[in-house]
Amino acid sequence: SHPSGVYNGEEFVFEESSWSFINRPKKLWHYGLNPLRMSMWVEDILDKFMRIYRFQMHDYAFSSNERLLHALGGDDFTRLLNQTIDEAMQKAGFSQKFINQVVCPAMRVNYGQGVTIPGGFLAGAVSLAGVQSGLWSVKGGNKLVCSGLIYSAKAEVIPGTVVITELFSTGDPVKLYEVTYNTSSGLTGDTYDIVVIAAPLGRKMANITFRNFDPPIPEFLNPYNQTITTLVHGRLNTSFFGYRDPQAFHLGAIFTTDSPKLFINSLNLEPPVGDTGTGGKLPLPSAVWKVFSNEELTKEQLNLLFSSYDSVKVKPWLAYPQYSAPEKFPPIVLHEQLYYLNGLERAASAMEMSAIAARNAALLAFHRWHGHSARVDQEDLHEKLKTEL
Ligand SMILES: *[C@@H]1O[C@H](CO)[C@@H](O)[C@H](O)[C@H]1NC(C)=O
Ligand SMILES: *[C@@H]1O[C@H](CO)[C@@H](O)[C@H](O)[C@H]1NC(C)=O
Ligand SMILES: *[C@@H]1O[C@H](CO)[C@@H](O)[C@H](O)[C@H]1NC(C)=O
Ligand SMILES: *[C@@H]1O[C@H](CO)[C@@H](O)[C@H](O)[C@H]1NC(C)=O
Ligand SMILES: *[C@@H]1O[C@H](CO)[C@@H](O)[C@H](O)[C@H]1NC(C)=O
């Protein structure tokens, strides 16, 4: 991959060299043992988090996201939910310089938010894991994961606006839900014993209407933060980043610190789709750059960032939760047999989190339906499963 640099609005506070063997001593010089300690800190958090796979393999489920996290990491985990990543890492002994120049830029590129936002420590750990290890992407676009999953689940997809109505049947304790879809070809729907909502609820997100529920299903207000992705085919204006001579500029990724002067969160060379074998080469004079920002870039801003460009694609999206303290999760059980997956995104937002939440909801629905309370909300599972071996 291309060398990266961390820009603070005035200068690069850290730049990788094109000579990769220099980067390790360079980091040691700049940040001491912080990077190594970060690996261990992140690994410790992720090790605990990965206990979920074992719990789920043994069919254990949790009825709330708080209980799930507590079962994984105990009070340490739930305490961290009330702290900013900045606080949590300071307490763990990391230097402020390291937090500002390494951790914050990682959060800004992955979550569009800095380190002073509370909660989201797991999100922090996940984004820092991304800093360290080789992430991969799917040839043809990561969106193929979604269509592939829908295909292999043999799911029927009905695009439309959704109304879920609670149906009361007199004399029968079993509750039923009516799900109505308003599609382009008219109304359709059915009744169900169990309904799982696997889309972020909110007026601007999955705008599902709940009818007849008593008490009503709570509204989840604007829980997501907007990020703007701008893809630009053009030449970077290297003098904007302090390089008078474009030839001297060798960076393929620019991360940023939390600075009011900056109107971008990150900027990086988009690798060409497919394997062209150019990995490691210097940036082409004209290439596709991906810019993340919180606001749409103005023409003036684009003209600052690029000395010339011929094509711009802008994609705004509500990509990840707006983290806030104290981190309180939306419920998993919205109603007797009505389940909601996306609350777990408030701990960290990634495809993997959705898969974990989905498996938990499936197990939970099954156990609640059959009255298997021994498999729900068990504490000390880690210890229990150890002695079971
Ligand atoms: C987090 O803060 C909330 C509100 O201040 C408090 O009720 C809760 O007990 C705190 N949680 C932990 C684990 O400290
Ligand atoms: C999204 O996060 C950014 C950075 O923390 C913040 O400035 C902005 O106000 C947030 N937007 C919303 C809609 O919460
Ligand atoms: C279905 O959607 C159409 C178009 O948005 C709207 O005009 C119509 O009133 C909707 N029908 C119901 C029953 O909500
Ligand atoms: C969400 O749905 C409600 C009820 O159908 C409707 O009144 C509202 O305009 C919708 N909001 C958005 C942002 O689409
Ligand atoms: C490039 O950046 C410099 C420094 O910010 C700025 O003065 C100039 O207008 C920008 N645009 C071009 C095309 O050089």
Side-chain angles (χ1 to χ4, degrees):
S1 65
H2 295 286
S4 60
V6 177
Y7 187 64
N8 72 0
E10 280 166 6
E11 56 175 352
F12 282 94
V13 291
F14 186 80
E15 266 181 69
E16 278 183 342
S17 165
S18 306
W19 306 92
S20 58
F21 65 88
I22 293 180
N23 289 325
R24 210 176 269 268
K26 205 170 170 188
K27 276 184 186 140
L28 194 68
W29 171 253
H30 270 259
Y31 304 115
L33 292 178
N34 279 281
L36 182 65
R37 294 200 36 238
M38 180 182 79
S39 312
M40 299 194 305
W41 190 74
V42 167
E43 206 168 295
D44 182 55
I45 289 175
L46 293 184
D47 271 354
K48 284 181 181 152
F49 183 74
M50 283 194 279
R51 291 173 180 171
I52 190 66
Y53 297 112
R54 237 181 105 128
F55 297 174
Q56 293 190 331
M57 219 162 60
H58 287 82
D59 289 344
Y60 287 99
F62 301 92
S63 66
S64 75
N65 293 303
E66 281 89 350
R67 288 207 164 107
L68 186 151
L69 286 176
H70 192 265
L72 299 178
D75 292 341
D76 283 354
F77 263 31
T78 38
R79 236 194 323 274
L80 281 166
L81 290 170
N82 271 2
Q83 294 178 3
T84 66
I85 296 161
D86 195 24
E87 283 165 351
M89 292 193 81
Q90 272 185 41
K91 273 186 199 156
F94 291 94
S95 77
Q96 195 63 55
K97 178 179 168 191
F98 180 73
I99 295 170
N100 293 346
Q101 298 185 358
V102 176
V103 181
C104 181
M107 281 301 287
R108 283 166 63 84
V109 66
N110 283 304
Y111 289 100
Q113 300 158 67
V115 288
T116 52
I117 44 144
F121 78 97
L122 205 55
V126 168
S127 63
L128 292 174
V131 169
Q132 304 178 71
S133 63
L135 292 175
W136 49 267
S137 51
V138 176
K139 192 172 177 178
N142 288 349
K143 65 177 182 198
L144 292 179
V145 173
C146 305
S147 49
L149 285 172
I150 288 170
Y151 177 79
S152 59
K154 301 188 181 70
E156 184 193 359
V157 179
I158 308 171
T161 51
V162 176
V163 176
I164 301 177
T165 312
E166 185 189 0
L167 299 178
F168 299 92
S169 43
T170 45
D172 189 342
V174 176
K175 292 222 163 67
L176 275 180
Y177 303 105
E178 181 190 62
V179 182
T180 316
Y181 310 90
N182 188 358
T183 72
S184 52
S185 53
L187 283 181
T188 160
D190 214 332
T191 54
Y192 299 91
D193 295 308
I194 299 174
V195 174
V196 178
I197 296 168
L201 289 174
R203 288 275 158 235
K204 291 188 198 156
M205 312 286 289
N207 191 9
I208 296 175
T209 307
F210 298 95
R211 273 209 202 114
N212 273 6
F213 286 86
D214 184 23
I217 305 295
E219 265 210 48
F220 306 112
L221 292 167
N222 294 334
Y224 285 77
N225 192 293
Q226 172 169 276
T227 193
I228 313 269
T229 305
T230 310
L231 292 166
V232 181
H233 182 251
R235 279 165 209 267
L236 205 63
N237 177 13
T238 57
S239 41
F240 179 74
F241 294 100
Y243 278 82
R244 298 250 164 269
D245 174 15
Q247 297 300 322
F249 188 84
H250 63 290
L251 301 176
I254 297 170
F255 302 112
T256 58
T257 61
D258 215 338
S259 158
K261 285 200 183 124
L262 284 162
F263 53 84
I264 61 166
N265 289 334
S266 67
L267 194 154
N268 68 277
L269 265 181
E270 230 0 45
V273 176
D275 188 11
T276 58
T278 54
K281 265 213 191 153
L282 289 176
L284 303 165
S286 177
V288 177
W289 292 88
K290 180 169 70 185
V291 189
F292 284 152
S293 57
N294 287 110
E295 305 290 337
E296 195 165 323
L297 298 177
T298 62
K299 208 152 184 115
E300 292 72 39
Q301 289 171 334
L302 278 171
N303 287 337
L304 276 177
L305 290 176
F306 296 93
S307 52
S308 70
Y309 55 90
D310 52 33
S311 150
V312 179
K313 288 250 181 303
V314 182
K315 179 82 189 159
W317 55 311
L318 296 166
Y320 16 66
Q322 173 66 41
Y323 293 107
S324 58
E327 201 56 68
K328 186 146 171 30
F329 291 95
I332 294 175
V333 184
L334 293 181
H335 189 253
E336 242 134 278
Q337 302 294 342
L338 179 60
Y339 299 92
Y340 180 44
L341 303 190
N342 295 68
L344 192 57
E345 275 192 76
R346 298 207 64 79
S349 172
M351 275 197 254
E352 190 59 18
M353 298 302 278
S354 301
I356 289 167
R359 187 158 186 192
N360 180 65
L363 289 167
L364 183 64
F366 179 84
H367 294 324
R368 281 165 52 97
W369 188 262
H370 292 287
H372 299 162
S373 55
R375 295 271 159 180
V376 178
D377 292 338
Q378 289 294 313
E379 277 288 331
D380 298 323
L381 262 185
H382 183 61
E383 292 305 313
K384 265 184 215 156
L385 289 178
K386 249 191 208 159
T387 54
E388 232 173 57
L389 276 177

